[in-house]
Amino acid sequence: MKGRTGKAHPFYGHTHSPAVRKKLGEALAHRRKQPGFIRRAFLAQNNRPTKPEGVMMRLIQNAGLPFAYNDRATVVAGLFPDFVATDGSRRVIEVFGDYWHTTRADRPAQTYEGRLKRFAEHGYEAMIIWASEMRNDPEGTERRIVAWSKTNGY
């Protein structure tokens, strides 16, 4: 579709009528209720691990912890945790970037407290690690994760 962006796009400068917007919203709401819709939508985005998630992957591997990067196969309460326990326990690890997760009053599920609450409501214990924490004190972060894993049956 090269050349069909911006002013070259046939819908450029136009807007949908309120009736059409309502129909589109209803159709999307119906599709979101379909099994697997959220997972398929994320897979279509071809997401890859972020740099902090890559650091966490190496940290988990070096410490021999029972967690694996979630390649969008596990959905918990409509959320995709970054790392999921592979030992059958209901534990997850999230890596929070300082920019995206510091203040998100508009999306409570993206905040520290909101994410912990959402996982707990569905029977998961979560640990959240900040990217700046890994960057500033990688050894301390590793000790904290190992200690958390051991206190929870590992």
Side-chain angles (χ1 to χ4, degrees):
M1 285 193 82
K2 192 171 186 175
R4 305 236 337 150
T5 60
K7 291 183 180 179
H9 194 279
F11 203 70
Y12 180 81
H14 299 278
T15 58
H16 289 295
S17 70
V20 170
R21 283 197 303 260
K22 183 178 182 202
K23 284 184 179 180
L24 289 170
E26 289 169 355
L28 182 58
H30 176 71
R31 287 181 59 208
R32 284 184 177 147
K33 293 177 185 174
Q34 300 299 315
F37 173 78
I38 294 173
R39 182 173 182 275
R40 286 192 310 274
F42 270 93
L43 287 173
Q45 293 177 5
N46 197 19
N47 290 339
R48 293 183 192 93
T50 62
K51 284 184 182 180
E53 290 169 350
V55 170
M56 179 62 74
M57 290 165 105
R58 288 187 294 280
L59 191 147
I60 287 171
Q61 185 177 13
N62 292 341
L65 298 174
F67 290 92
Y69 182 72
N70 183 14
D71 59 355
R72 309 302 185 229
T74 303
V75 182
V76 178
L79 303 172
F80 293 97
D82 295 327
F83 296 89
V84 181
T86 58
D87 62 358
S89 64
R90 293 171 66 92
R91 294 178 291 150
V92 296
I93 297 176
E94 287 277 38
V95 179
F96 271 17
D98 299 305
Y99 178 79
W100 290 109
H101 295 283
T102 302
T103 54
R104 293 299 305 254
D106 59 324
R107 300 197 57 198
Q110 298 299 329
T111 63
Y112 186 90
E113 294 82 12
R115 192 61 67 108
L116 289 175
K117 180 182 175 193
R118 190 104 170 248
F119 285 131
E121 287 172 351
H122 289 81
Y124 280 78
E125 186 171 354
M127 173 180 232
I128 297 176
I129 302 293
W130 290 92
S132 59
E133 180 183 354
M134 284 193 302
R135 188 173 47 252
N136 298 334
D137 185 15
E139 294 85 13
T141 303
E142 182 175 350
R143 284 192 302 272
R144 186 172 154 225
I145 295 168
V146 169
W148 178 73
S149 295
K150 287 183 178 179
T151 60
N152 291 291
Y154 174 66

